[in-house]
């Protein structure tokens, strides 16, 4: 692939790259011009839509995920696609994306994208790992209180016309122990909020991390399960975390304790959880994510957890607040425009992170070469041989797995020679994508 793109400048916010530090810098555009088309699915934030339209891109917006056949047809002609968690960008789908250079996941997770295949096609993937942390943490705090007072069941009874005023097995959360599995951005915020409500916090993570506040690190997962009154899961979806909470782990939990899962649907064995709730071993559960989730809103949701006692079921809304979606929209849309406009891959998921400082506005002869190639010996030598007759002002190269990323700012006095450089680099056998920005 060797498509290059029509580019305009955009404003940069949060974690700015070198390309936004000097207002007296040059806006880049492509050597071969053409309209940039962006496909946005699953009702991503209007903030993102506005940023991308302001950049001059053609934006096609859909409120829902597309079925596979429609997605394959749509993705053939776009340069970037924005999704949330329901759209699956598999190898089959991406193999039809002949112009695609970037994917924006407007969420934390990227397991819905075949990251390795995307990289092999020169498609850079971005996500928003931090922007919805507060929203998820607040939801978990609310669920802890709801579970401790059995408010889900009481509310349902009242809607059914049943008055059931009870205090048995209803507790304050003050003085109770919260166990956090995965002490990352969400886990740490959750711990701070829980301590402010008088809870004790114990946590477990596979990495050695600094405790915040009065929280305490556990040596093992089982230590947390045995001690906590509430266990909250905040881990990514990996082979190691699949069904990490199963029948054995649930049996290890304190009798009368509660389980909360707002991480990934495959982390908990749902059948085993339903059995633990019905037997009375667990006092309650709150689940926001499921092994299989509907593609659109409406009836038809099925789960063994339906009608289990003191069980809160929510439709994957942990990060679904106006504030979180706005911040996610800014972060991911900005990352997309920076990558398209200036080539920076900072905060990419499947690419090495590279950036170059911006070109001064007074410099009218420098072009930027952006290249993705197979990470094998000899490719850099070939590229540098092509650039040997020109003044290379600055360059950077890094690799991640089988794919390498290269950026260079080159002085080219004769504009006619830009096409020659472009054709020579795209002619390298290991070339995946080459773009020229000037």
């Amino acid at each position: 692939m060797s498509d290059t793109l029509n580019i305009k400048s955009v404003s940069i916010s949060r974690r700015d790259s070198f390309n936004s530090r000097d207002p007296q810098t040059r806006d880049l555009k492509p050597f071969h011009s053409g309209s940039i088309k962006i496909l946005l699915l699953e009702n991503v934030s209007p903030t993102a839509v506005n940023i991308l339209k302001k950049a001059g891109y053609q934006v096609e917006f859909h409120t829902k995920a597309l079925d596979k056949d429609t997605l394959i047809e749509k993705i053939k002609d776009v340069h970037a696609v924005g999704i949330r968690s329901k759209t699956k960008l598999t190898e089959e789908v991406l193999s039809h994306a002949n112009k695609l250079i970037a994917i924006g996941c407007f969420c934390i997770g990227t397991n819905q994208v075949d990251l390795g295949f995307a990289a092999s096609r020169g498609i850079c993937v971005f996500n928003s790992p931090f922007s919805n942390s507060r929203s998820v943490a607040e939801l978990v705090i609310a669920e802890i209180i709801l579970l401790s007072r059995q408010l889900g069941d009481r509310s349902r009874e009242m809607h059914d016309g049943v008055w059931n005023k009870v205090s048995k097995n209803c507790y304050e959360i003050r003085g109770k122990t919260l166990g956090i599995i995965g002490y990352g951005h969400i886990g740490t915020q959750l711990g701070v909020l829980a301590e402010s409500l008088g809870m004790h916090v114990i946590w477990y993570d596979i990495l050695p991390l600094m405790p915040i506040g009065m929280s305490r690190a556990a040596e093992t997962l089982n230590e947390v399960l045995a001690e906590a009154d509430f266990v909250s899961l905040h881990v990514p979806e990996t082979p190691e975390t699949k069904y990490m909470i199963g029948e054995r782990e649930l049996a290890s939990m304190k009798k009368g304790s509660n389980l909360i899962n707002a991480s990934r649907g495959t982390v908990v064995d749902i059948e085993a959880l339903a059995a633990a709730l019905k037997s009375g071993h667990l006092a309650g559960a709150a689940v926001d994510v499921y092994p299989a989730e509907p593609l659109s809103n409406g009836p038809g949701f099925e789960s063994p957890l339906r009608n289990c006692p003191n069980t809160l079921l929510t439709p994957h809304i942990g990060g679904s607040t106006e504030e979180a979606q706005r911040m996610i929209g800014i972060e991911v849309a900005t990352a997309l425009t920076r990558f398209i406009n200036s080539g920076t891959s900072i905060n990419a998921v499947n690419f090495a992170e590279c950036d170059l400082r911006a070109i001064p506005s007074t410099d009218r002869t420098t072009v930027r070469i952006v290249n993705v190639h197979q990470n094998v010996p000899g490719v850099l030598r070939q590229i540098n041989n092509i650039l040997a007759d020109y003044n290379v002002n600055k360059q950077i190269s890094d690799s991640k797995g089988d794919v390498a990323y290269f950026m260079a700012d080159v002085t080219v006095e004769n504009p006619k020679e830009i096409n020659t450089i472009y054709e020579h680099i795209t002619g390298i056998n290991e070339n995946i994508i080459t773009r020229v920005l000037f």
Side-chain angles (χ1 to χ4, degrees):
M1 297 174 65
S2 58
D3 292 334
T4 53
L5 307 172
N6 182 31
I7 294 170
K8 293 185 178 180
S9 63
V10 296
S11 59
I12 305 297
S13 62
R14 294 194 64 184
R15 300 188 67 178
D16 291 347
S17 71
F18 292 134
N19 290 282
S20 63
R21 294 179 180 175
D22 181 2
Q24 302 302 317
T25 56
R26 210 178 81 208
D27 295 332
L28 298 176
K29 62 180 181 179
F31 179 65
H32 294 295
S33 64
S35 297
I36 298 175
K37 295 181 180 179
I38 311 289
L39 176 64
L40 296 180
L41 306 176
E42 301 183 61
N43 201 32
V44 301
S45 169
T47 306
V49 179
N50 292 337
I51 289 173
L52 296 169
K53 285 185 175 180
K54 188 177 179 180
Y57 307 151
Q58 296 183 29
V59 178
E60 181 177 344
F61 176 81
H62 294 265
T63 59
K64 299 179 181 180
L66 303 177
D67 63 80
K68 186 176 71 173
D69 291 340
T70 304
L71 178 60
I72 287 175
E73 188 62 32
K74 291 283 187 183
I75 209 168
K76 290 178 180 179
D77 196 39
V78 298
H79 302 98
V81 60
I83 63 172
R84 294 177 70 183
S85 58
K86 293 178 181 177
T87 300
K88 308 301 180 185
L89 296 179
T90 62
E91 178 177 340
E92 179 186 3
V93 172
L94 293 176
S95 64
H96 293 84
N98 297 320
K99 297 182 179 181
L100 198 67
I101 65 168
I103 296 170
C105 296
F106 289 79
C107 51
I108 294 177
T110 56
N111 55 293
Q112 68 275 41
V113 180
D114 189 328
L115 297 176
F117 185 75
S120 73
R121 299 270 294 185
I123 302 168
C124 192
V125 180
F126 297 94
N127 70 335
S128 180
F130 316 128
S131 294
N132 68 357
S133 300
R134 177 72 181 200
S135 296
V136 177
E138 287 187 3
L139 176 66
V140 173
I141 289 293
E143 290 172 335
I144 290 172
I145 297 172
L146 289 168
L147 291 173
S148 68
R149 299 294 298 273
Q150 301 181 12
L151 290 182
D153 286 356
R154 297 295 84 77
S155 177
R156 180 167 53 186
E157 290 164 353
M158 292 291 282
H159 281 285
D160 290 340
V162 177
W163 182 276
N164 186 21
K165 183 179 178 180
V166 297
S167 59
K168 185 179 180 180
N169 296 323
C170 295
Y171 304 96
E172 296 180 353
I173 65 170
R174 178 179 53 178
K176 303 302 185 294
T177 298
L178 170 62
I180 300 173
I181 310 301
Y183 199 60
H185 292 274
I186 296 174
T188 51
Q189 288 208 36
L190 174 59
V192 170
L193 293 175
E195 284 193 345
S196 72
L197 294 170
M199 300 188 77
H200 305 296
V201 176
I202 182 174
W203 53 269
Y204 173 73
D205 200 289
I206 60 174
L207 299 175
L209 299 167
M210 179 70 70
I212 295 178
M214 299 298 293
S215 68
R216 173 171 59 88
E219 294 185 2
T220 65
L221 171 63
N222 284 336
E223 181 181 346
V224 176
L225 298 179
E227 185 175 336
D229 299 295
F230 299 87
V231 174
S232 190
L233 306 173
H234 302 283
V235 297
E237 183 178 63
T238 67
E240 292 75 24
T241 62
K242 187 173 184 179
Y243 301 132
M244 69 179 294
I245 303 297
E247 183 177 357
R248 182 180 63 182
E249 289 75 21
L250 292 167
S252 298
M253 290 180 65
K254 205 165 141 177
K255 182 173 174 57
S257 59
N258 301 264
L259 180 69
I260 300 170
N261 185 19
S263 58
R264 288 291 176 261
T266 57
V267 172
V268 177
D269 183 335
I270 296 295
E271 297 279 357
L273 176 58
L277 289 163
K278 292 175 181 176
S279 71
H281 178 67
L282 292 188
V287 178
D288 188 48
V289 289
Y290 308 88
E293 298 181 358
L295 291 177
S296 60
N297 293 341
F301 172 72
E302 295 293 338
S303 172
L305 296 173
R306 289 181 59 189
N307 299 315
C308 284
N310 198 26
T311 301
L312 305 173
L313 302 180
T314 50
H316 203 151
I317 57 172
S320 296
T321 63
E322 295 288 349
E323 295 88 349
Q325 293 307 307
R326 179 179 180 276
M327 290 305 301
I328 290 171
I330 292 172
E331 185 171 8
V332 179
T334 297
L336 290 173
T337 55
R338 283 164 51 185
F339 180 74
I340 295 170
N341 287 10
S342 60
T344 178
S345 60
I346 298 299
N347 299 330
V349 177
N350 65 336
F351 269 33
E353 297 186 64
C354 295
D355 195 12
L356 291 175
R357 67 181 181 273
I359 302 170
S361 58
T362 55
D363 182 352
R364 310 307 300 178
T365 59
T366 296
V367 299
R368 176 163 293 174
I369 310 295
V370 177
N371 171 263
V372 185
H373 59 265
Q374 298 171 29
N375 184 26
V376 296
V379 179
L380 285 179
R381 182 177 65 246
Q382 295 180 71
I383 294 175
N384 284 319
N385 284 342
I386 294 169
L387 302 178
D389 293 332
Y390 304 90
N391 181 38
V392 178
N393 300 316
K394 49 189 178 291
Q395 70 177 43
I396 186 172
S397 181
D398 200 355
S399 61
K400 189 169 187 176
D402 296 330
V403 175
Y405 193 56
F406 171 86
M407 299 172 67
D409 286 352
V410 183
T411 299
V412 182
E413 299 289 347
N414 185 354
K416 295 180 179 180
E417 296 180 16
I418 297 175
N419 192 55
T420 301
I421 295 172
Y422 171 78
E423 289 179 347
H424 285 171
I425 294 178
T426 57
I428 296 173
N429 290 334
E430 296 81 5
N431 174 76
I432 298 174
I433 283 180
T434 297
R435 296 191 290 144
V436 180
L437 311 175
F438 75 99

